[in-house]
Amino acid sequence: MTTTRIAVRAGHPRAQVDLVVGALAPRLVDRTSCTAHVALTAAGMLLLGGDLVDVEVDVGPDCTLELEDVGGMVAYRALTSASQVTLAARVGSGGTLLWRALPLVVAAGARVDRRTQIDLDTGGCAVIRETVVLGRQGEEGGSLSSHLSITNPDGPVLTEELSLDGSFPEPGVLGSERVLDAVIAIGFRPDPEPGALLLDQPGAVARHLGHHTHDSPLDRVWAEWAEQATSTAASVATGAVPIPAGASSTPRAIDSVGAIE
């Protein structure tokens, strides 16, 4: 399956944004000379057993890229092999990545292997929203193996391994809850948030465990940390250039590379 790719580079009068459609389809929302706002939506039915979702993100030096999901992702019962979700992002010097993902729902019988790698150059920062829901309403949920690795030029900043199985809830992990919500800030020191984990290097992790996604208090944390990350960027946006009404903001073909000048 084709890799989904999103890349942004500073330009005049508008940034160059390269989009490649894979399992996910990126859509340009707006941009300035050094910022881009891109929405992600499924290009087909996801996630079925054996599906591979591969996403690569490249944020150029002194650029800000905001990614947001248009719809959440549901992993369905896997009769044979597990689904794989691989996310890799590179953030250039002075760049900022804001990635607001909607919930990943792991339905009963589903098996998901998710791996996220984020590499920050000097002065780069990122704020990531990750939400996992074990099971649809009335289900106990499937299994998820998740690996997160964030590095900067000095080495590892945050490395996490998480294994969840709705059929065998573990005390001290999710217990009887089914929703794990997290906001992760890296590359700057966000304002203190009660209960948040402060990292040794500039960064913090705020988490919420609950039974329903709408009970999470992390919408506010996401908004505040994203604003703080943007304010620390080396280049600040000075006026968005929206796509005109009725104009196409997508690559010319569903399986082609789109370089939006």
Side-chain angles (χ1 to χ4, degrees):
M1 188 174 292
T2 305
T3 297
T4 300
R5 294 189 177 91
I6 304 103
V8 58
R9 288 290 185 274
H12 182 76
R14 296 180 295 177
Q16 176 177 316
V17 182
D18 296 328
L19 305 176
V20 178
V21 176
L24 299 179
R27 302 287 188 248
L28 181 62
V29 179
D30 61 41
R31 56 180 164 157
T32 68
S33 62
C34 57
T35 72
H37 180 185
V38 174
L40 291 171
T41 184
M45 187 174 181
L46 297 173
L47 284 163
L48 304 178
D51 278 354
L52 173 61
V53 176
D54 191 20
V55 181
E56 293 183 358
V57 175
D58 191 357
V59 183
D62 298 325
C63 288
T64 296
L65 173 61
E66 180 180 356
L67 288 177
E68 66 172 327
D69 288 351
V70 173
M73 187 180 297
V74 178
Y76 296 94
R77 181 181 299 275
L79 299 178
T80 54
S81 55
S83 306
Q84 298 182 47
V85 180
T86 303
L87 312 172
R90 296 176 296 275
V91 181
S93 178
T96 302
L97 172 62
L98 308 176
W99 194 332
R100 181 171 53 188
L102 290 179
L104 167 62
V105 179
V106 185
R111 292 184 291 141
V112 180
D113 181 12
R114 183 178 68 178
R115 308 187 73 82
T116 302
Q117 175 72 48
I118 300 175
D119 298 315
L120 305 177
D121 205 343
T122 302
C125 63
V127 182
I128 311 298
R129 178 80 178 267
E130 290 189 335
T131 308
V132 174
V133 182
L134 286 185
R136 293 168 292 187
Q137 189 66 35
E139 292 182 338
E140 61 184 8
S143 65
L144 169 71
S145 176
S146 180
H147 175 82
L148 170 66
S149 177
I150 303 178
T151 66
N152 65 17
D154 294 327
V157 177
L158 177 64
T159 301
E160 290 188 338
E161 293 276 359
L162 177 65
S163 294
L164 301 174
D165 192 332
S167 301
F168 303 98
E170 295 185 40
V173 183
L174 278 187
S176 62
E177 306 294 356
R178 56 189 286 268
V179 175
L180 173 59
D181 196 9
V183 178
I184 303 166
I186 300 292
F188 68 103
R189 187 71 71 186
D191 290 343
E193 179 66 27
L197 172 67
L198 299 181
L199 304 180
D200 181 57
Q201 297 193 49
V205 180
R207 288 193 175 92
H208 169 76
L209 298 180
H211 203 68
H212 302 286
T213 55
H214 62 261
D215 292 334
S216 174
L218 296 189
D219 285 348
R220 175 189 56 79
V221 177
W222 159 264
E224 292 179 358
W225 288 8
E227 182 178 358
Q228 292 168 38
T230 302
S231 69
T232 63
S235 297
V236 178
T238 59
V241 180
I243 300 299
S248 173
S249 63
T250 65
R252 295 182 179 83
I254 193 72
D255 57 353
S256 66
V257 176
I260 303 175
E261 302 290 351

